[in-house]
PDB file of all heavy atoms in Angstrom:
ATOM      1  N   THR A 239      20.164 -17.045   1.345  1.00 88.00           N
ATOM      2  CA  THR A 239      20.787 -16.147   0.371  1.00 88.00           C
ATOM      3  C   THR A 239      19.799 -15.850  -0.748  1.00 88.00           C
ATOM      4  O   THR A 239      18.845 -16.590  -0.967  1.00 88.00           O
ATOM      5  CB  THR A 239      22.059 -16.774  -0.241  1.00 88.00           C
ATOM      6  OG1 THR A 239      21.698 -18.002  -0.874  1.00 88.00           O
ATOM      7  CG2 THR A 239      23.122 -17.008   0.809  1.00 88.00           C
ATOM      8  N   GLY A 240      20.074 -14.754  -1.446  1.00 88.00           N
ATOM      9  CA  GLY A 240      19.246 -14.348  -2.571  1.00 88.00           C
ATOM     10  C   GLY A 240      19.829 -13.088  -3.187  1.00 88.00           C
ATOM     11  O   GLY A 240      20.946 -12.682  -2.852  1.00 88.00           O
ATOM     12  N   THR A 241      19.090 -12.462  -4.079  1.00 88.00           N
ATOM     13  CA  THR A 241      19.537 -11.201  -4.665  1.00 88.00           C
ATOM     14  C   THR A 241      18.553 -10.105  -4.276  1.00 88.00           C
ATOM     15  O   THR A 241      17.341 -10.325  -4.242  1.00 88.00           O
ATOM     16  CB  THR A 241      19.627 -11.278  -6.207  1.00 88.00           C
ATOM     17  OG1 THR A 241      18.358 -11.647  -6.720  1.00 88.00           O
ATOM     18  CG2 THR A 241      20.687 -12.269  -6.647  1.00 88.00           C
ATOM     19  N   ALA A 242      19.105  -8.947  -3.991  1.00 88.00           N
ATOM     20  CA  ALA A 242      18.287  -7.812  -3.562  1.00 88.00           C
ATOM     21  C   ALA A 242      18.857  -6.545  -4.175  1.00 88.00           C
ATOM     22  O   ALA A 242      20.035  -6.490  -4.521  1.00 88.00           O
ATOM     23  CB  ALA A 242      18.283  -7.716  -2.042  1.00 88.00           C
ATOM     24  N   PRO A 243      18.046  -5.491  -4.296  1.00 87.00           N
ATOM     25  CA  PRO A 243      18.548  -4.227  -4.835  1.00 87.00           C
ATOM     26  C   PRO A 243      19.456  -3.523  -3.827  1.00 87.00           C
ATOM     27  O   PRO A 243      19.216  -3.571  -2.619  1.00 87.00           O
ATOM     28  CB  PRO A 243      17.284  -3.428  -5.114  1.00 87.00           C
ATOM     29  CG  PRO A 243      16.226  -4.040  -4.286  1.00 87.00           C
ATOM     30  CD  PRO A 243      16.605  -5.460  -4.066  1.00 87.00           C
ATOM     31  N   SER A 244      20.477  -2.876  -4.355  1.00 85.00           N
ATOM     32  CA  SER A 244      21.404  -2.122  -3.525  1.00 85.00           C
ATOM     33  C   SER A 244      21.910  -0.924  -4.312  1.00 85.00           C
ATOM     34  O   SER A 244      21.873  -0.918  -5.537  1.00 85.00           O
ATOM     35  CB  SER A 244      22.581  -3.011  -3.113  1.00 85.00           C
ATOM     36  OG  SER A 244      23.588  -2.255  -2.460  1.00 85.00           O
ATOM     37  N   GLU A 245      22.410   0.068  -3.601  1.00 86.00           N
ATOM     38  CA  GLU A 245      23.018   1.211  -4.273  1.00 86.00           C
ATOM     39  C   GLU A 245      24.307   0.749  -4.935  1.00 86.00           C
ATOM     40  O   GLU A 245      25.023  -0.094  -4.404  1.00 86.00           O
ATOM     41  CB  GLU A 245      23.322   2.333  -3.272  1.00 86.00           C
ATOM     42  CG  GLU A 245      22.103   3.097  -2.800  1.00 86.00           C
ATOM     43  CD  GLU A 245      21.333   2.349  -1.713  1.00 86.00           C
ATOM     44  OE1 GLU A 245      21.914   1.439  -1.079  1.00 86.00           O
ATOM     45  OE2 GLU A 245      20.148   2.632  -1.541  1.00 86.00           O
ATOM     46  N   PRO A 246      24.623   1.293  -6.102  1.00 87.00           N
ATOM     47  CA  PRO A 246      25.866   0.915  -6.784  1.00 87.00           C
ATOM     48  C   PRO A 246      27.099   1.275  -5.950  1.00 87.00           C
ATOM     49  O   PRO A 246      27.087   2.243  -5.203  1.00 87.00           O
ATOM     50  CB  PRO A 246      25.839   1.729  -8.080  1.00 87.00           C
ATOM     51  CG  PRO A 246      24.441   2.192  -8.245  1.00 87.00           C
ATOM     52  CD  PRO A 246      23.834   2.237  -6.885  1.00 87.00           C
ATOM     53  N   GLY A 247      28.143   0.453  -6.079  1.00 83.00           N
ATOM     54  CA  GLY A 247      29.420   0.750  -5.446  1.00 83.00           C
ATOM     55  C   GLY A 247      29.568   0.282  -4.013  1.00 83.00           C
ATOM     56  O   GLY A 247      30.625   0.458  -3.418  1.00 83.00           O
ATOM     57  N   ARG A 248      28.570  -0.314  -3.421  1.00 86.00           N
ATOM     58  CA  ARG A 248      28.684  -0.806  -2.044  1.00 86.00           C
ATOM     59  C   ARG A 248      29.600  -2.026  -2.012  1.00 86.00           C
ATOM     60  O   ARG A 248      29.606  -2.841  -2.923  1.00 86.00           O
ATOM     61  CB  ARG A 248      27.321  -1.156  -1.480  1.00 86.00           C
ATOM     62  CG  ARG A 248      26.494   0.079  -1.229  1.00 86.00           C
ATOM     63  CD  ARG A 248      25.562  -0.188  -0.121  1.00 86.00           C
ATOM     64  NE  ARG A 248      25.013   1.048   0.393  1.00 86.00           N
ATOM     65  CZ  ARG A 248      24.069   1.065   1.289  1.00 86.00           C
ATOM     66  NH1 ARG A 248      23.584  -0.062   1.761  1.00 86.00           N
ATOM     67  NH2 ARG A 248      23.627   2.205   1.742  1.00 86.00           N
ATOM     68  N   LYS A 249      30.340  -2.178  -0.922  1.00 88.00           N
ATOM     69  CA  LYS A 249      31.307  -3.264  -0.768  1.00 88.00           C
ATOM     70  C   LYS A 249      30.676  -4.459  -0.071  1.00 88.00           C
ATOM     71  O   LYS A 249      29.686  -4.326   0.663  1.00 88.00           O
ATOM     72  CB  LYS A 249      32.520  -2.782   0.041  1.00 88.00           C
ATOM     73  CG  LYS A 249      33.247  -1.612  -0.587  1.00 88.00           C
ATOM     74  CD  LYS A 249      33.849  -2.023  -1.903  1.00 88.00           C
ATOM     75  CE  LYS A 249      34.568  -0.840  -2.552  1.00 88.00           C
ATOM     76  NZ  LYS A 249      34.813  -1.039  -3.941  1.00 88.00           N
ATOM     77  N   ALA A 250      31.262  -5.632  -0.300  1.00 87.00           N
ATOM     78  CA  ALA A 250      30.812  -6.860   0.364  1.00 87.00           C
ATOM     79  C   ALA A 250      30.881  -6.657   1.874  1.00 87.00           C
ATOM     80  O   ALA A 250      31.809  -6.036   2.385  1.00 87.00           O
ATOM     81  CB  ALA A 250      31.678  -8.030  -0.069  1.00 87.00           C
ATOM     82  N   GLY A 251      29.874  -7.177   2.582  1.00 87.00           N
ATOM     83  CA  GLY A 251      29.804  -7.032   4.030  1.00 87.00           C
ATOM     84  C   GLY A 251      28.965  -5.859   4.485  1.00 87.00           C
ATOM     85  O   GLY A 251      28.668  -5.729   5.676  1.00 87.00           O
ATOM     86  N   THR A 252      28.561  -4.989   3.560  1.00 88.00           N
ATOM     87  CA  THR A 252      27.728  -3.835   3.900  1.00 88.00           C
ATOM     88  C   THR A 252      26.303  -4.304   4.174  1.00 88.00           C
ATOM     89  O   THR A 252      25.764  -5.168   3.471  1.00 88.00           O
ATOM     90  CB  THR A 252      27.722  -2.819   2.745  1.00 88.00           C
ATOM     91  OG1 THR A 252      29.064  -2.459   2.441  1.00 88.00           O
ATOM     92  CG2 THR A 252      26.925  -1.582   3.101  1.00 88.00           C
ATOM     93  N   ALA A 253      25.692  -3.748   5.189  1.00 90.00           N
ATOM     94  CA  ALA A 253      24.305  -4.091   5.522  1.00 90.00           C
ATOM     95  C   ALA A 253      23.356  -3.340   4.586  1.00 90.00           C
ATOM     96  O   ALA A 253      23.564  -2.164   4.289  1.00 90.00           O
ATOM     97  CB  ALA A 253      24.008  -3.737   6.963  1.00 90.00           C
ATOM     98  N   VAL A 254      22.320  -4.046   4.106  1.00 90.00           N
ATOM     99  CA  VAL A 254      21.280  -3.438   3.270  1.00 90.00           C
ATOM    100  C   VAL A 254      19.920  -3.863   3.787  1.00 90.00           C
ATOM    101  O   VAL A 254      19.772  -4.931   4.388  1.00 90.00           O
ATOM    102  CB  VAL A 254      21.419  -3.841   1.774  1.00 90.00           C
ATOM    103  CG1 VAL A 254      22.676  -3.268   1.176  1.00 90.00           C
ATOM    104  CG2 VAL A 254      21.358  -5.331   1.594  1.00 90.00           C
ATOM    105  N   ALA A 255      18.940  -3.014   3.558  1.00 89.00           N
ATOM    106  CA  ALA A 255      17.569  -3.346   3.964  1.00 89.00           C
ATOM    107  C   ALA A 255      16.929  -4.218   2.888  1.00 89.00           C
ATOM    108  O   ALA A 255      17.065  -3.954   1.693  1.00 89.00           O
ATOM    109  CB  ALA A 255      16.762  -2.074   4.153  1.00 89.00           C
ATOM    110  N   ILE A 256      16.260  -5.279   3.319  1.00 91.00           N
ATOM    111  CA  ILE A 256      15.524  -6.155   2.402  1.00 91.00           C
ATOM    112  C   ILE A 256      14.103  -6.312   2.918  1.00 91.00           C
ATOM    113  O   ILE A 256      13.807  -5.961   4.064  1.00 91.00           O
ATOM    114  CB  ILE A 256      16.206  -7.545   2.271  1.00 91.00           C
ATOM    115  CG1 ILE A 256      16.276  -8.248   3.634  1.00 91.00           C
ATOM    116  CG2 ILE A 256      17.563  -7.425   1.619  1.00 91.00           C
ATOM    117  CD1 ILE A 256      16.714  -9.686   3.565  1.00 91.00           C
ATOM    118  N   TRP A 257      13.247  -6.839   2.081  1.00 91.00           N
ATOM    119  CA  TRP A 257      11.863  -7.090   2.468  1.00 91.00           C
ATOM    120  C   TRP A 257      11.587  -8.580   2.302  1.00 91.00           C
ATOM    121  O   TRP A 257      11.952  -9.187   1.287  1.00 91.00           O
ATOM    122  CB  TRP A 257      10.901  -6.264   1.619  1.00 91.00           C
ATOM    123  CG  TRP A 257      10.924  -4.831   2.015  1.00 91.00           C
ATOM    124  CD1 TRP A 257      11.749  -3.862   1.546  1.00 91.00           C
ATOM    125  CD2 TRP A 257      10.099  -4.227   2.991  1.00 91.00           C
ATOM    126  NE1 TRP A 257      11.496  -2.679   2.165  1.00 91.00           N
ATOM    127  CE2 TRP A 257      10.485  -2.873   3.061  1.00 91.00           C
ATOM    128  CE3 TRP A 257       9.092  -4.676   3.823  1.00 91.00           C
ATOM    129  CZ2 TRP A 257       9.870  -1.969   3.932  1.00 91.00           C
ATOM    130  CZ3 TRP A 257       8.481  -3.774   4.674  1.00 91.00           C
ATOM    131  CH2 TRP A 257       8.865  -2.449   4.734  1.00 91.00           C
ATOM    132  N   LEU A 258      10.929  -9.152   3.303  1.00 88.00           N
ATOM    133  CA  LEU A 258      10.598 -10.573   3.297  1.00 88.00           C
ATOM    134  C   LEU A 258       9.088 -10.739   3.404  1.00 88.00           C
ATOM    135  O   LEU A 258       8.409  -9.937   4.059  1.00 88.00           O
ATOM    136  CB  LEU A 258      11.274 -11.290   4.473  1.00 88.00           C
ATOM    137  CG  LEU A 258      12.792 -11.160   4.562  1.00 88.00           C
ATOM    138  CD1 LEU A 258      13.300 -11.762   5.864  1.00 88.00           C
ATOM    139  CD2 LEU A 258      13.455 -11.819   3.366  1.00 88.00           C
ATOM    140  N   ASP A 259       8.577 -11.807   2.757  1.00 85.00           N
ATOM    141  CA  ASP A 259       7.151 -12.086   2.896  1.00 85.00           C
ATOM    142  C   ASP A 259       6.922 -12.916   4.154  1.00 85.00           C
ATOM    143  O   ASP A 259       7.853 -13.187   4.919  1.00 85.00           O
ATOM    144  CB  ASP A 259       6.600 -12.754   1.638  1.00 85.00           C
ATOM    145  CG  ASP A 259       7.205 -14.120   1.362  1.00 85.00           C
ATOM    146  OD1 ASP A 259       7.898 -14.674   2.235  1.00 85.00           O
ATOM    147  OD2 ASP A 259       6.980 -14.640   0.254  1.00 85.00           O
ATOM    148  N   ASP A 260       5.683 -13.343   4.372  1.00 82.00           N
ATOM    149  CA  ASP A 260       5.366 -14.085   5.594  1.00 82.00           C
ATOM    150  C   ASP A 260       6.019 -15.465   5.642  1.00 82.00           C
ATOM    151  O   ASP A 260       6.065 -16.098   6.686  1.00 82.00           O
ATOM    152  CB  ASP A 260       3.848 -14.197   5.773  1.00 82.00           C
ATOM    153  CG  ASP A 260       3.166 -14.842   4.586  1.00 82.00           C
ATOM    154  OD1 ASP A 260       3.810 -14.994   3.532  1.00 82.00           O
ATOM    155  OD2 ASP A 260       1.970 -15.174   4.700  1.00 82.00           O
ATOM    156  N   ARG A 261       6.570 -15.949   4.522  1.00 82.00           N
ATOM    157  CA  ARG A 261       7.274 -17.234   4.487  1.00 82.00           C
ATOM    158  C   ARG A 261       8.793 -17.060   4.552  1.00 82.00           C
ATOM    159  O   ARG A 261       9.531 -18.021   4.428  1.00 82.00           O
ATOM    160  CB  ARG A 261       6.900 -18.003   3.224  1.00 82.00           C
ATOM    161  CG  ARG A 261       5.441 -18.385   3.179  1.00 82.00           C
ATOM    162  CD  ARG A 261       5.131 -19.165   1.945  1.00 82.00           C
ATOM    163  NE  ARG A 261       3.708 -19.418   1.873  1.00 82.00           N
ATOM    164  CZ  ARG A 261       3.046 -19.591   0.768  1.00 82.00           C
ATOM    165  NH1 ARG A 261       3.670 -19.532  -0.403  1.00 82.00           N
ATOM    166  NH2 ARG A 261       1.751 -19.825   0.787  1.00 82.00           N
ATOM    167  N   GLY A 262       9.242 -15.827   4.682  1.00 81.00           N
ATOM    168  CA  GLY A 262      10.667 -15.562   4.774  1.00 81.00           C
ATOM    169  C   GLY A 262      11.382 -15.454   3.442  1.00 81.00           C
ATOM    170  O   GLY A 262      12.609 -15.445   3.397  1.00 81.00           O
ATOM    171  N   ARG A 263      10.641 -15.347   2.349  1.00 85.00           N
ATOM    172  CA  ARG A 263      11.250 -15.212   1.017  1.00 85.00           C
ATOM    173  C   ARG A 263      11.433 -13.741   0.683  1.00 85.00           C
ATOM    174  O   ARG A 263      10.638 -12.901   1.096  1.00 85.00           O
ATOM    175  CB  ARG A 263      10.367 -15.870  -0.039  1.00 85.00           C
ATOM    176  CG  ARG A 263      10.207 -17.365   0.153  1.00 85.00           C
ATOM    177  CD  ARG A 263       9.270 -17.938  -0.877  1.00 85.00           C
ATOM    178  NE  ARG A 263       7.952 -17.296  -0.707  1.00 85.00           N
ATOM    179  CZ  ARG A 263       6.852 -17.725  -1.268  1.00 85.00           C
ATOM    180  NH1 ARG A 263       6.879 -18.767  -2.051  1.00 85.00           N
ATOM    181  NH2 ARG A 263       5.712 -17.104  -1.059  1.00 85.00           N
ATOM    182  N   LEU A 264      12.487 -13.462  -0.110  1.00 88.00           N
ATOM    183  CA  LEU A 264      12.716 -12.089  -0.561  1.00 88.00           C
ATOM    184  C   LEU A 264      11.555 -11.622  -1.424  1.00 88.00           C
ATOM    185  O   LEU A 264      11.024 -12.380  -2.239  1.00 88.00           O
ATOM    186  CB  LEU A 264      13.999 -12.016  -1.393  1.00 88.00           C
ATOM    187  CG  LEU A 264      15.297 -11.900  -0.623  1.00 88.00           C
ATOM    188  CD1 LEU A 264      16.465 -12.024  -1.583  1.00 88.00           C
ATOM    189  CD2 LEU A 264      15.371 -10.595   0.131  1.00 88.00           C
ATOM    190  N   THR A 265      11.168 -10.386  -1.248  1.00 88.00           N
ATOM    191  CA  THR A 265      10.083  -9.801  -2.028  1.00 88.00           C
ATOM    192  C   THR A 265      10.322  -8.306  -2.152  1.00 88.00           C
ATOM    193  O   THR A 265      11.276  -7.776  -1.594  1.00 88.00           O
ATOM    194  CB  THR A 265       8.710 -10.104  -1.373  1.00 88.00           C
ATOM    195  OG1 THR A 265       7.680  -9.695  -2.246  1.00 88.00           O
ATOM    196  CG2 THR A 265       8.564  -9.403  -0.040  1.00 88.00           C
ATOM    197  N   LYS A 266       9.464  -7.645  -2.864  1.00 89.00           N
ATOM    198  CA  LYS A 266       9.576  -6.193  -3.014  1.00 89.00           C
ATOM    199  C   LYS A 266       8.940  -5.499  -1.820  1.00 89.00           C
ATOM    200  O   LYS A 266       8.081  -6.054  -1.141  1.00 89.00           O
ATOM    201  CB  LYS A 266       8.880  -5.736  -4.292  1.00 89.00           C
ATOM    202  CG  LYS A 266       9.580  -6.167  -5.557  1.00 89.00           C
ATOM    203  CD  LYS A 266       8.907  -5.564  -6.765  1.00 89.00           C
ATOM    204  CE  LYS A 266       9.691  -5.906  -8.015  1.00 89.00           C
ATOM    205  NZ  LYS A 266       9.161  -5.244  -9.185  1.00 89.00           N
ATOM    206  N   GLN A 267       9.331  -4.257  -1.634  1.00 88.00           N
ATOM    207  CA  GLN A 267       8.755  -3.435  -0.580  1.00 88.00           C
ATOM    208  C   GLN A 267       7.272  -3.226  -0.875  1.00 88.00           C
ATOM    209  O   GLN A 267       6.880  -3.025  -2.028  1.00 88.00           O
ATOM    210  CB  GLN A 267       9.483  -2.094  -0.542  1.00 88.00           C
ATOM    211  CG  GLN A 267       8.978  -1.152   0.515  1.00 88.00           C
ATOM    212  CD  GLN A 267       9.793   0.132   0.549  1.00 88.00           C
ATOM    213  OE1 GLN A 267      10.766   0.279  -0.177  1.00 88.00           O
ATOM    214  NE2 GLN A 267       9.377   1.054   1.394  1.00 88.00           N
ATOM    215  N   PRO A 268       6.413  -3.290   0.155  1.00 90.00           N
ATOM    216  CA  PRO A 268       4.991  -3.042  -0.104  1.00 90.00           C
ATOM    217  C   PRO A 268       4.771  -1.597  -0.545  1.00 90.00           C
ATOM    218  O   PRO A 268       5.581  -0.716  -0.268  1.00 90.00           O
ATOM    219  CB  PRO A 268       4.327  -3.324   1.246  1.00 90.00           C
ATOM    220  CG  PRO A 268       5.410  -3.201   2.256  1.00 90.00           C
ATOM    221  CD  PRO A 268       6.692  -3.543   1.561  1.00 90.00           C
ATOM    222  N   LEU A 269       3.670  -1.382  -1.226  1.00 90.00           N
ATOM    223  CA  LEU A 269       3.358  -0.039  -1.707  1.00 90.00           C
ATOM    224  C   LEU A 269       3.131   0.913  -0.542  1.00 90.00           C
ATOM    225  O   LEU A 269       2.503   0.550   0.458  1.00 90.00           O
ATOM    226  CB  LEU A 269       2.109  -0.081  -2.588  1.00 90.00           C
ATOM    227  CG  LEU A 269       2.221  -0.867  -3.891  1.00 90.00           C
ATOM    228  CD1 LEU A 269       0.865  -0.936  -4.580  1.00 90.00           C
ATOM    229  CD2 LEU A 269       3.252  -0.248  -4.808  1.00 90.00           C
ATOM    230  N   GLY A 270       3.615   2.127  -0.690  1.00 90.00           N
ATOM    231  CA  GLY A 270       3.376   3.156   0.312  1.00 90.00           C
ATOM    232  C   GLY A 270       1.952   3.673   0.215  1.00 90.00           C
ATOM    233  O   GLY A 270       1.170   3.251  -0.646  1.00 90.00           O
ATOM    234  N   SER A 271       1.610   4.620   1.056  1.00 90.00           N
ATOM    235  CA  SER A 271       0.226   5.105   1.077  1.00 90.00           C
ATOM    236  C   SER A 271      -0.153   5.808  -0.220  1.00 90.00           C
ATOM    237  O   SER A 271      -1.253   5.606  -0.739  1.00 90.00           O
ATOM    238  CB  SER A 271       0.013   6.025   2.276  1.00 90.00           C
ATOM    239  OG  SER A 271       0.898   7.129   2.201  1.00 90.00           O
ATOM    240  N   VAL A 272       0.745   6.607  -0.780  1.00 95.00           N
ATOM    241  CA  VAL A 272       0.432   7.327  -2.021  1.00 95.00           C
ATOM    242  C   VAL A 272       0.369   6.346  -3.192  1.00 95.00           C
ATOM    243  O   VAL A 272      -0.588   6.353  -3.979  1.00 95.00           O
ATOM    244  CB  VAL A 272       1.471   8.439  -2.291  1.00 95.00           C
ATOM    245  CG1 VAL A 272       1.261   9.056  -3.662  1.00 95.00           C
ATOM    246  CG2 VAL A 272       1.392   9.502  -1.210  1.00 95.00           C
ATOM    247  N   ASP A 273       1.398   5.480  -3.316  1.00 93.00           N
ATOM    248  CA  ASP A 273       1.394   4.495  -4.404  1.00 93.00           C
ATOM    249  C   ASP A 273       0.211   3.548  -4.285  1.00 93.00           C
ATOM    250  O   ASP A 273      -0.393   3.157  -5.289  1.00 93.00           O
ATOM    251  CB  ASP A 273       2.701   3.697  -4.404  1.00 93.00           C
ATOM    252  CG  ASP A 273       3.890   4.532  -4.825  1.00 93.00           C
ATOM    253  OD1 ASP A 273       3.679   5.552  -5.508  1.00 93.00           O
ATOM    254  OD2 ASP A 273       5.028   4.153  -4.474  1.00 93.00           O
ATOM    255  N   GLY A 274      -0.134   3.168  -3.068  1.00 93.00           N
ATOM    256  CA  GLY A 274      -1.288   2.290  -2.854  1.00 93.00           C
ATOM    257  C   GLY A 274      -2.589   2.953  -3.279  1.00 93.00           C
ATOM    258  O   GLY A 274      -3.437   2.345  -3.932  1.00 93.00           O
ATOM    259  N   ALA A 275      -2.741   4.228  -2.923  1.00 95.00           N
ATOM    260  CA  ALA A 275      -3.959   4.954  -3.301  1.00 95.00           C
ATOM    261  C   ALA A 275      -4.056   5.108  -4.811  1.00 95.00           C
ATOM    262  O   ALA A 275      -5.138   4.956  -5.394  1.00 95.00           O
ATOM    263  CB  ALA A 275      -3.978   6.326  -2.625  1.00 95.00           C
ATOM    264  N   VAL A 276      -2.924   5.389  -5.457  1.00 96.00           N
ATOM    265  CA  VAL A 276      -2.927   5.519  -6.915  1.00 96.00           C
ATOM    266  C   VAL A 276      -3.278   4.181  -7.565  1.00 96.00           C
ATOM    267  O   VAL A 276      -4.077   4.120  -8.503  1.00 96.00           O
ATOM    268  CB  VAL A 276      -1.559   6.040  -7.420  1.00 96.00           C
ATOM    269  CG1 VAL A 276      -1.449   5.913  -8.919  1.00 96.00           C
ATOM    270  CG2 VAL A 276      -1.357   7.480  -6.984  1.00 96.00           C
TER     271      VAL A 276
END
């Protein structure tokens, strides 16, 4: 379990996309190609 960002108003039981690091811990989404280049 942990906390992750979600759209407001979603109900319990709704599936959401999360990002995990190589150890299985919650983390932020990696930078995209444009954000990475910037």
